Amino acid sequence: MRIRDHRAFDEPEINLVPLIDVILVLIIFFVVTATFEARSVLKLELPRATGEQGDTSKALSVLVNADGRYFVDDREVLRDDVESLKTTLAEVAGSDRERPVLLRADARTPHQAVVTAYDALGQLGFRRVMVATAPEPGAAGAAR
């Protein structure tokens, strides 16, 4: 009786499942660890002024771009009315009304958009509002 050896006829194959698993894990790792900055998304041209620089390390950031759209920290306010801005500010800031607020408005922003931001901040009880400006070229404080 002749017994066949089936091992000689086995076709070699490459199993791609572990390779796909490793690639997916790497993609997830890079997506989760990537940092996204609001500065890279929004191009603001700040108005120029001379003066002292305040402490903005823990300030709530309110950005108003040239089109009059609002951004509170990393969240965009969907409408440009006072109530929408107040709702977003209340969600982001919580109950801390003593937190300083840094208002960054583009130099080309309509004045009404800045007044609306001040109005919303005042209605919510924020009293420590700072306005971000760029230093004058050649001014003493230009090395900030």
Side-chain angles (χ1 to χ4, degrees), residues 102-121:
L102 179 62
L103 180 62
R104 296 177 179 210
D106 194 290
R108 302 167 303 222
T109 301
H111 188 63
Q112 180 60 50
V114 177
V115 171
T116 302
Y118 274 118
D119 188 25
L121 289 166

Side-chain angles (χ1 to χ4, degrees), residues 22-76:
V22 169
I23 290 174
L24 287 175
V25 167
L26 286 174
I27 289 172
I28 291 171
F29 173 76
F30 286 120
V31 167
V32 169
T33 59
T35 58
F36 302 102
E37 292 188 27
R39 291 183 185 190
S40 64
V41 175
L42 299 173
K43 303 293 183 196
L44 291 181
E45 180 183 326
L46 294 176
R48 304 219 179 259
T50 57
E52 297 180 16
Q53 183 176 1
D55 181 29
T56 61
S57 60
K58 297 189 182 210
L60 178 67
S61 177
V62 178
L63 288 92
V64 187
N65 68 3
D67 299 327
R69 299 196 60 146
Y70 301 101
F71 299 86
V72 179
D73 279 347
D74 294 332
R75 295 181 57 186
E76 181 177 2

Side-chain angles (χ1 to χ4, degrees), residues 65-98:
N65 68 3
D67 299 327
R69 299 196 60 146
Y70 301 101
F71 299 86
V72 179
D73 279 347
D74 294 332
R75 295 181 57 186
E76 181 177 2
V77 180
L78 299 178
R79 294 189 313 258
D80 58 355
D81 60 316
V82 177
E83 293 304 318
S84 298
L85 182 57
K86 283 173 47 178
T87 303
T88 306
L89 282 167
E91 289 173 2
V92 172
S95 62
D96 185 14
R97 298 299 186 253
E98 295 300 318

Side-chain angles (χ1 to χ4, degrees), residues 112-141:
Q112 180 60 50
V114 177
V115 171
T116 302
Y118 274 118
D119 188 25
L121 289 166
Q123 288 179 20
L124 287 175
F126 290 98
R127 298 291 177 237
R128 299 175 57 197
V129 180
M130 299 175 283
V131 178
T133 58
E136 285 285 344

